[in-house]
Amino acid sequence: MNTPEQSLLGKAAVYQDQYDATLLFPIPRAQKRAEIGIGTSIGSSLPFMGADIWTAFELSWLNLRGKPQIALAHFTIPCETPNIIESKSFKLYLNSFNNTRFADAAEVLERLRADVTEAVWRGAVPQAAVGVALRGPEQFDAEPVHELDGLSLDRLDLECVHYQPAPGLLSTVPDAPPVSEVLVSNLLKSNCLVTGQPDWGSVQISYFGAPIEQEGLLQYLVSFRNHHEFHEQCVERIFMDILTRCKPHKLSVYARYTRRGGLDINPFRTNHPQRLPANTRTARQ
């Protein structure tokens, strides 16, 4: 079982510019899920569905004549996979394409899909392939930029004193009828589990249920400011805390984190069937 400490995060790494799938470093989701009350035994069902939506902005390879090619890559990794991919290893893996010749973009796409699928399902029987889409330079102008839709919690003028996750700040409005709301904040910040470097994000919370007290929700989101976890783990912690404390009938949590090393990671979790959100970057990404 790989651990974050065994990865190359925060360590000097040799730049490998020839294709090498072994650079991908999967880390099991189970330990962090157990911390927030999610069963990890065989047959246990998750309290949510969704995916981790990645964008790779620095993908390049050589065609058969040695001419460099470039593309953006979108990855959709189901949350049911037993592993996440440590992001520095993902970057090093993508770098290994830089001086490798491929027949065309289709061959690159299939190689990416096969390698990432194997890594995230390692140790289990694959249930679905990772989604991969490439966008060539002729499509770059069509890549949209849009902020998360919803009512901004950041409009609230309040005092914040908690900088480690404080789920006790979450509550609902007593005796109020259920509402359907979409709330957003750009004030999400956490720190890398291994290096301690800051991770900046925006978060969208959609729910149907008793009205969530908005000041407490914003203070709760701010309380992640000095917390050390990977993006996927933070979103699942937010989802479980809101589900446990506020008990909405329907809940979705979607975070878009600013890119690091040419990659952004955007986890989405929901407890009711719906389409995945479009992989549309925000201005800060």
Side-chain angles (χ1 to χ4, degrees):
M1 179 183 294
N2 290 338
T3 65
E5 293 75 20
Q6 294 170 323
S7 75
L8 289 173
L9 274 172
K11 303 171 186 174
V14 176
Y15 169 48
Q16 171 62 265
D17 65 356
Q18 295 293 323
Y19 167 72
D20 185 358
T22 68
L23 291 168
L24 288 169
F25 190 87
I27 296 174
R29 299 181 190 264
Q31 180 178 352
K32 281 294 181 177
R33 285 182 170 174
E35 289 182 11
I36 55 176
I38 298 176
T40 57
S41 61
I42 296 175
S44 297
S45 59
L46 295 173
F48 47 66
M49 57 196 83
D52 304 323
I53 304 168
W54 294 60
T55 310
F57 293 91
E58 300 173 4
L59 175 61
S60 182
W61 66 95
L62 303 179
N63 69 12
L64 294 182
R65 300 183 65 189
K67 181 183 177 183
Q69 310 292 298
I70 62 170
L72 300 178
H74 297 295
F75 298 88
T76 304
I77 300 174
C79 70
E80 294 82 8
T81 59
N83 306 308
I84 62 174
I85 299 294
E86 184 275 304
S87 60
K88 182 175 180 179
S89 80
F90 210 149
K91 173 183 173 61
L92 294 173
Y93 162 72
L94 293 175
N95 281 345
S96 79
F97 284 69
N98 289 353
N99 280 340
T100 305
R101 299 189 182 210
F102 293 91
D104 52 27
E107 183 182 359
V108 173
L109 187 150
E110 288 306 316
R111 192 70 268 150
L112 292 167
R113 177 184 287 122
D115 292 344
V116 178
T117 296
E118 187 283 325
V120 297
W121 285 105
R122 191 173 299 169
V125 177
Q127 300 176 22
V130 167
V132 184
L134 297 186
R135 301 285 186 264
E138 71 281 359
Q139 299 171 294
F140 287 176
D141 271 346
E143 289 287 301
V145 177
H146 185 75
E147 296 306 296
L148 294 173
D149 293 321
L151 177 64
S152 175
L153 294 169
D154 303 345
R155 74 189 193 284
L156 301 172
D157 184 16
L158 46 72
E159 182 179 16
C160 297
V161 296
H162 298 279
Y163 301 110
Q164 290 290 344
L169 294 167
L170 295 168
S171 64
T172 56
V173 179
D175 303 319
V179 298
S180 181
E181 280 191 318
V182 181
L183 305 172
V184 298
S185 175
N186 293 319
L187 302 186
L188 181 61
K189 174 194 169 290
S190 53
N191 299 315
C192 174
L193 181 63
V194 177
T195 67
Q197 293 298 305
D199 294 320
W200 306 93
S202 300
V203 62
Q204 180 188 66
I205 296 164
S206 308
Y207 75 95
F208 171 73
I212 297 176
E213 203 284 317
Q214 293 183 12
E215 289 195 359
L217 177 58
L218 180 57
Q219 290 170 325
Y220 166 75
L221 295 173
V222 169
S223 75
F224 278 75
R225 194 167 183 84
N226 292 339
H227 181 60
H228 292 71
E229 266 186 331
F230 293 139
H231 303 5
E232 301 93 333
Q233 298 161 352
C234 286
V235 168
E236 291 185 358
R237 186 178 294 275
I238 292 169
F239 181 95
M240 292 302 296
D241 283 346
I242 295 175
L243 189 68
T244 302
R245 296 278 176 162
C246 302
K247 297 179 171 56
H249 301 293
K250 295 181 178 181
L251 175 64
S252 301
V253 178
Y254 180 36
R256 295 199 62 92
Y257 281 88
T258 59
R259 77 183 78 165
R260 185 191 292 179
L263 293 164
D264 66 36
I265 308 172
N266 311 288
F268 173 75
R269 301 291 185 269
T270 182
N271 65 353
H272 59 102
Q274 60 180 293
R275 294 175 64 89
L276 290 174
N279 189 6
T280 302
R281 72 180 182 92
T282 64
R284 293 196 297 166
Q285 293 183 297

